[in-house]
Amino acid sequence: MQTTITAAKSKLKQKGYLDMHISPTLDLLEEIQLLKTQKNAVILAHYYQDSEIQDVADYIGDSLQLSQQAAKTKADMIVFAGVHFMAETAKMLSPQKKVLLPDLKAGCSLADSAPAPLFRKFKEKHPNHVVVSYVNCTAELKTLTDICCTSSNAEAIIRSIPADKEIIFAPDKNLGAYLIKQTGRKMVLWNGACMVHEIFSNEKITKLMVRHPQAKLIAHPECEAPLLEKAHYIGSTSGLLKFTQTDAAKEFIVATEPGILHQMQKASPHKLFIPAPPTNNCACNECPHMRLNTLEKLYLCLKYELPEITLSERVIREGRVCIDKMLDISAKIGL
Ligand code: 13P
Ligand code: SF4
């Protein structure tokens, strides 16, 4: 990814983008709307983005919903307000479109934990296994994958694999362990984790639960097992959002990236949402990669059509097979 960033930086420098001063009097929301119409662009935003980015987006969603949107959009340009692997997935699904990411450095610790050359060797040790990879992985890793999954369809994807087939699950060991528990399937796990979800403090959450006895603890399956064992509900970001809308509880302790609280609060203004605290001294646990995107960078990215996601024809051809399989299985079960 480093060479792509360097090349993109020099292009940005040539265009004066890096030295760009945005006047504080510029109405960024209006400018973004204008540019979007002029360029027939669509903004896809993940729930972990800053609230002002969510508010300007055309679609907000979890990883599955955003890849479904990327596959079917009629726009000429996709601005992906999310992280690098998400924009790569959009590019693989819509290779003829221009796909932009406001900050190319918006990576992902989970995707980085599984470099393709190491994974290839790991895979060679388990030659008869079906490889299921969480969508939070690089495009190159997807070329080594049989079926992709997201947190909202992972259980269904594992259940769709014949019982006599052995499975490698990568790169998230926590989601993998959760899936083993849910499905009873034996799986070989890659040893990766998300830096946001693995540092929630069990101790501080227990204290919060004592202080808020009516609150329900809801958690993303990227969290570690001892936290998931305590949770009243476990699900993808969209699953967590839906649960807070339909459940009778009035208070929730939310163990995932706190960007999702914006939509939770909007949908249920009278309910209380408490972000689960991490083990460090911060009060919340924002993803440092997701939060690299800002409204200013979104504006510049639309204006200059940079930084652009580019992938080789081989990676697009080989990498999208596992994503198409995932989308087919999801469509069949109505996800
Ligand atoms: P979902 O929105 O698909 O649950 O994914 C969460 C996540 O960690 C994205 O980086
Ligand atoms: Fe990656 Fe975790 Fe950030 Fe999601 S929240 S982008 S999995 S580091």
Side-chain angles (χ1 to χ4, degrees):
M1 194 167 116
Q2 192 51 44
T3 36
T4 334
I5 293 173
T6 316
K9 262 189 171 171
S10 87
K11 261 198 200 169
L12 292 171
K13 188 110 194 135
Q14 280 163 23
K15 294 210 174 203
Y17 176 107
L18 289 183
D19 311 314
M20 187 80 192
H21 170 71
I22 303 176
S23 163
T25 60
L26 196 69
D27 184 341
L28 284 181
L29 298 182
E30 201 180 294
E31 291 299 318
I32 288 172
Q33 294 300 348
L34 275 172
L35 286 165
K36 239 169 45 177
T37 315
Q38 267 170 26
K39 302 190 179 206
N40 189 25
V42 66
I43 300 178
L44 306 182
H46 189 265
Y47 287 125
Y48 294 165
Q49 291 294 284
D50 285 350
S51 49
E52 56 184 11
I53 293 184
Q54 293 188 36
D55 289 344
V56 85
D58 297 290
Y59 298 98
I60 315 158
D62 68 10
S63 310
L64 177 64
Q65 293 165 332
L66 293 176
S67 44
Q68 286 165 333
Q69 285 300 336
K72 70 177 185 202
T73 181
K74 298 259 185 298
D76 296 317
M77 189 185 288
I78 299 173
V79 181
F80 214 113
V83 289
H84 200 265
F85 75 79
M86 294 178 172
E88 279 185 336
T89 304
K91 183 68 188 174
M92 286 190 274
L93 288 167
S94 288
Q96 72 293 355
K97 297 188 194 304
K98 190 172 258 193
V99 177
L100 307 169
L101 180 67
D103 191 323
L104 259 197
K105 292 199 289 315
C108 167
S109 66
L110 193 46
D112 291 346
S113 74
L118 283 186
F119 186 76
R120 190 187 296 277
K121 290 202 177 102
F122 179 76
K123 191 180 158 178
E124 278 163 13
K125 288 193 195 138
H126 308 281
N128 299 318
H129 289 52
V130 175
V131 177
V132 180
S133 294
Y134 191 31
V135 72
N136 302 32
C137 66
T138 61
E140 195 64 50
L141 201 96
K142 289 185 176 78
T143 68
L144 302 170
T145 296
D146 296 303
I147 317 178
C148 205
C149 73
T150 74
S151 50
S152 51
N153 60 20
E155 212 178 303
I157 299 284
I158 299 297
R159 289 188 196 281
S160 76
I161 299 169
D164 60 338
K165 293 267 181 215
E166 294 186 284
I167 302 171
I168 290 176
F169 186 82
D172 189 357
K173 64 176 177 189
N174 293 321
L175 176 60
Y178 172 71
L179 291 170
I180 291 174
K181 196 166 162 230
Q182 292 301 105
T183 63
R185 293 294 291 266
K186 267 191 6 204
M187 298 197 291
V188 181
L189 304 181
W190 180 263
N191 187 19
C194 159
M195 63 185 291
V196 171
H197 289 87
E198 71 172 352
I199 64 157
F200 285 118
S201 162
N202 231 326
E203 199 184 321
K204 289 184 196 168
I205 290 171
T206 306
K207 282 185 187 163
L208 267 178
M209 290 172 89
V210 171
R211 246 185 290 141
H212 297 269
Q214 306 302 328
K216 286 200 171 157
L217 171 65
I218 58 173
H220 195 279
E222 288 173 26
C223 295
E224 292 182 330
L227 174 53
L228 294 181
E229 274 156 29
K230 299 217 282 242
H232 297 95
Y233 176 79
I234 299 166
S236 65
T237 50
S238 61
L240 297 175
L241 174 60
K242 199 162 169 203
F243 184 78
T244 62
Q245 291 170 267
T246 51
D247 192 77
K250 297 274 181 286
E251 295 180 17
F252 299 89
I253 299 166
V254 184
T256 193
E257 213 273 1
I260 186 74
L261 266 64
H262 182 54
Q263 296 303 325
M264 289 177 174
Q265 201 69 75
K266 255 176 132 172
S268 309
H270 305 300
K271 295 188 179 182
L272 177 69
F273 300 100
I274 308 163
T279 44
N280 59 33
N281 288 331
C282 295
C284 78
N285 201 6
E286 290 182 349
C287 172
H289 308 289
M290 285 276 181
R291 303 300 180 127
L292 281 175
N293 295 324
T294 60
L295 206 56
E296 286 75 12
K297 288 180 197 168
L298 187 63
Y299 159 72
L300 290 173
C301 157
L302 259 170
K303 188 170 162 78
Y304 294 102
E305 302 182 18
L306 284 168
E308 185 180 354
I309 298 292
T310 53
L311 292 170
S312 72
E313 272 179 36
R314 178 194 66 82
V315 168
I316 291 176
R317 193 180 56 250
E318 294 176 13
R320 82 169 275 172
V321 178
C322 68
I323 306 171
D324 283 339
K325 274 194 199 149
M326 167 185 86
L327 293 177
D328 281 353
I329 295 171
S330 302
K332 278 189 193 125
I333 55 173
L335 281 174

